[in-house]
């Protein structure tokens, strides 16, 4: 599954994202709208991790969807 598919069906994925990163708010999810970079930025803000770590987590989550 690619990010275009995730973006197009973002409402369906919000619950899975919320399960993975419970500190993300509904506003965070609305702002991300399936954009991996925005999602990583929100994870970085809420969890206090580095940009690289947040991107790694998003990549790992994305791979788990396959």
């Amino acid at each position: 599954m690619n990010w275009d598919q995730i973006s197009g069906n973002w409402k369906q994925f919000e619950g899975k994202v919320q399960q993975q990163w419970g500190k993300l708010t509904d506003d965070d999810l609305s702002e991300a709208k399936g954009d991996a970079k925005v999602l990583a930025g929100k994870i970085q803000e809420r969890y206090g991790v580095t940009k690289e770590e947040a991107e790694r987590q998003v990549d790992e989550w994305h791979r788990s969807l396959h």
Side-chain angles (χ1 to χ4, degrees), residues 14-66:
E14 285 182 344
K16 292 180 181 184
V17 172
Q18 190 79 45
Q19 283 180 328
Q20 182 74 26
W21 297 285
K23 291 183 182 180
L24 295 181
T25 66
D26 289 340
D27 287 343
D28 291 336
L29 297 176
S30 293
E31 288 177 39
K33 293 184 189 131
D35 184 314
K37 290 190 185 311
V38 175
L39 179 58
K42 296 297 179 184
I43 293 166
Q44 184 180 359
E45 284 177 28
R46 298 286 177 212
Y47 287 87
V49 297
T50 64
K51 178 182 175 188
E52 293 78 15
E53 173 60 18
E55 289 172 348
R56 186 197 65 73
Q57 289 181 24
V58 170
D59 287 343
E60 189 175 291
W61 175 80
H62 180 235
R63 281 194 302 275
S64 76
L65 297 176
H66 297 286

